[in-house]
Amino acid sequence: MKNFKKDFPIFKQKVNGKPLVYLDSAATSQKPQTVIDAINDYYSTYNANVRRGLYPMSEKATAKVEEVREKVRKFINARSIEEIIFVRNATEAINLVAYSFASHNIKAGDVITTTLMEHHSNFVPWQQIAKDKKAKFDVLDIDNNYHVKFSSYNFKNTKLLAITHVSNVLGTINPVKEIIKAFRKQNPKGVVLVDAAQSVPHMSVDVGDLDCDFLVFSGHKMMAGTGVGVLYGKKEVLENMPPFLYGGEMIREVGLKSSSFAPLPQKFESGTPSIADIISLGTAIDYLEKIGMGKVREHERKLMAYGLSQMKKIKGIKIYGPTDLKNRGGVISFTLENIHPYDVRQTLGELGLCVRAGHHCTMPLHRSLGLMATTRASFYIYNDEKDIDALIKGLLEIQKMFRKK
């Protein structure tokens, strides 16, 4: 693959005289100039609210938003644009499902099942619903190879299964299709939500092939603006759910004593959306599709192979996640012996390297591993082997610094 850094203006800058090395794409991605231009173009030339304004700028903004909805539909292979709901981020999408589906369908004694490797966004909402409804909250453990243990689990009483596609800490690519198939076999009436925040930006995802009821992801992790996310839901499920938020745009008719609501997808899109960010998502999809999601995945797989091989040479390093690159995304979480992850993060930052340190919104996972925190490096299409070389050099410098203290 070509070097994509030139498409991203942020990489023109230096940090303390050193080139910027961005290794935190699991948190948020950088934006190519085309995406920045799309946002600027909206605010500069046709900034207007959508749907209700029947003048040219408003009609253009509305058309652009609906064009993006169709792009998203094709990108994840949904059946209809009615199944594509624009929200702010994956977290809001999950909470929408928790409020509009789970709070109305989960009863005392039902089971909600999730996994130990979930981001808090796909853990805490279900934990709270289970508590409120007096339901059972089950958490699937992981094995010594950092994979979810599901083959012997009885899904018969699980009303809702919430599972991440790719772990934001371990990089584990869960066999969600296989898990959903096992779930459906035992429990045809159960509902499945897939957190695809770490998969949709990095690989081909087909909701029809997965057979999930809901799937969520965030635009900002795939080079779009920070104010757009997507909830995919099967039409027949969404139609039987009440609105999440009430107000403008989601209304069909309002009377003094009662109101009726707009059809899908507007029923779940109350108020003014983040129009510029939605438009930017369409541009980001165009950018990714021009590359090809297969090539995006293969580029990250090669980076992971190189990164893991180089990092394993560092004495005192402990790396967490599967060793099989076929089942691992572009994330490496690690610890350095006798050096706190926060010190690693801060020192690397001074060297121009952006990594993350902490529990990465996965406290249950970290506690199960006997850790308070890890340092995480995560990759995307603009990274290359030179970035990994800079990371290795930085880690070796940190070890020398801390040996002197």
Side-chain angles (χ1 to χ4, degrees):
M1 273 177 49
K2 73 171 188 176
N3 182 356
F4 287 96
K5 273 194 170 70
K6 64 180 180 60
D7 294 341
F8 296 78
I10 200 165
F11 291 114
K12 294 176 182 178
Q13 66 177 290
K14 292 185 180 294
V15 180
N16 294 329
K18 298 179 181 295
L20 172 65
V21 177
Y22 188 78
L23 298 170
D24 196 21
S25 294
T28 197
S29 62
Q30 295 304 328
K31 321 304 176 192
Q33 188 64 54
T34 54
V35 167
I36 296 169
D37 289 345
I39 295 172
N40 184 60
D41 184 47
Y42 165 72
Y43 283 123
S44 300
T45 65
Y46 61 104
N47 176 32
N49 214 330
V50 294
R51 300 190 182 118
R52 296 304 177 104
L54 297 178
Y55 49 91
M57 286 200 307
S58 177
E59 289 178 334
K60 181 177 179 179
T62 301
K64 288 283 189 180
V65 166
E66 295 310 315
E67 283 173 15
V68 176
R69 199 185 304 277
E70 172 61 13
K71 286 181 183 181
V72 173
R73 184 201 68 76
K74 288 182 179 178
F75 195 63
I76 62 172
N77 196 32
R79 295 170 298 177
S80 165
I81 59 171
E82 295 172 299
E83 298 182 321
I84 305 301
I85 312 297
F86 289 130
V87 290
R88 290 183 304 163
N89 46 49
T91 299
E92 183 176 278
I94 293 169
N95 277 272
L96 189 161
V97 176
Y99 177 84
S100 294
F101 175 82
S103 67
H104 294 273
N105 289 278
I106 299 297
K107 310 298 181 187
D110 287 342
V111 179
I112 299 174
T113 304
T114 188
T115 83
L116 188 64
M117 65 174 67
E118 300 304 315
H119 189 282
H120 294 164
S121 295
N122 202 33
F123 194 93
V124 177
W126 313 122
Q127 190 181 59
Q128 292 302 117
I129 289 288
K131 181 179 178 181
D132 293 344
K133 298 296 180 178
K134 295 182 171 55
K136 185 179 179 183
F137 183 63
D138 261 6
V139 180
L140 298 177
D141 205 350
I142 60 174
D143 61 26
N144 292 333
N145 293 315
Y146 306 99
H147 293 112
V148 172
K149 295 194 287 187
F150 71 93
S151 59
S152 61
Y153 182 77
N154 185 355
F155 288 110
K156 186 177 180 180
N157 296 316
T158 296
K159 192 71 170 279
L160 186 146
L161 170 64
I163 185 168
T164 187
H165 197 172
V166 178
S167 167
N168 72 316
V169 174
L170 305 170
T172 305
I173 302 174
N174 284 316
V176 288
K177 182 180 178 179
E178 184 181 346
I179 294 171
I180 293 170
K181 188 175 180 180
F183 175 79
R184 299 277 187 224
K185 188 174 182 180
Q186 297 180 45
N187 187 358
K189 294 184 179 180
V191 170
V192 181
L193 180 143
V194 175
D195 177 356
Q198 300 293 342
S199 62
V200 167
H202 303 277
M203 61 189 72
S204 295
V205 174
D206 184 327
V207 294
D209 187 53
L210 293 179
D211 190 29
C212 54
D213 298 283
F214 301 105
L215 182 137
V216 307
F217 60 96
S218 294
H220 72 94
K221 294 183 190 292
M222 54 188 290
M223 301 181 292
T226 54
V228 60
V230 172
L231 167 65
Y232 156 80
K234 286 183 176 177
K235 182 180 177 181
E236 57 270 27
V237 180
L238 291 172
E239 284 182 332
N240 290 314
M241 291 164 49
F244 177 43
L245 298 172
Y246 298 89
E249 300 301 335
M250 51 75 63
I251 288 295
R252 186 194 300 261
E253 188 174 344
V254 176
L256 291 177
K257 294 186 177 181
S258 65
S259 299
S260 59
F261 308 120
L264 295 172
Q266 274 71 42
K267 181 171 79 169
F268 293 106
E269 294 183 359
S270 177
T272 299
S274 184
I275 301 166
D277 291 322
I278 292 172
I279 292 167
S280 78
L281 176 59
T283 306
I285 289 173
D286 291 342
Y287 188 92
L288 286 168
E289 288 189 324
K290 187 175 180 180
I291 299 169
M293 294 309 295
K295 290 182 179 179
V296 172
R297 170 67 185 139
E298 180 60 18
H299 175 67
E300 290 182 16
R301 192 197 64 77
K302 289 179 179 178
L303 278 180
M304 284 293 295
Y306 182 72
L308 288 171
S309 68
Q310 297 303 305
M311 292 179 75
K312 286 175 181 176
K313 297 176 183 178
I314 299 174
K315 187 177 179 180
I317 197 168
K318 170 69 174 175
I319 297 171
Y320 301 89
T323 55
D324 179 9
L325 292 180
K326 184 179 178 182
N327 296 309
R328 183 166 185 157
V331 175
I332 302 177
S333 294
F334 63 94
T335 54
L336 286 180
E337 188 177 10
N338 298 323
I339 307 175
H340 198 285
Y342 290 172
D343 292 325
V344 175
R345 174 196 63 192
Q346 182 174 348
T347 309
L348 286 176
E350 293 168 356
L351 296 172
L353 290 101
C354 303
V355 298
R356 207 165 197 82
H359 52 69
H360 315 299
C361 294
T362 60
M363 284 186 180
L365 173 62
H366 273 73
R367 286 171 181 158
S368 76
L369 297 173
L371 301 167
M372 291 299 294
T374 54
T375 306
R376 183 185 71 188
S378 52
F379 312 115
Y380 209 9
I381 57 169
Y382 36 69
N383 293 121
D384 52 31
E385 290 187 358
K386 290 181 180 179
D387 293 337
I388 293 171
D389 292 340
L391 174 63
I392 302 302
K393 182 180 179 182
L395 293 177
L396 292 173
E397 286 186 28
I398 289 170
Q399 285 186 323
K400 288 180 183 178
M401 289 170 56
F402 278 81
R403 273 200 294 267
K404 293 177 183 178
K405 292 184 177 180

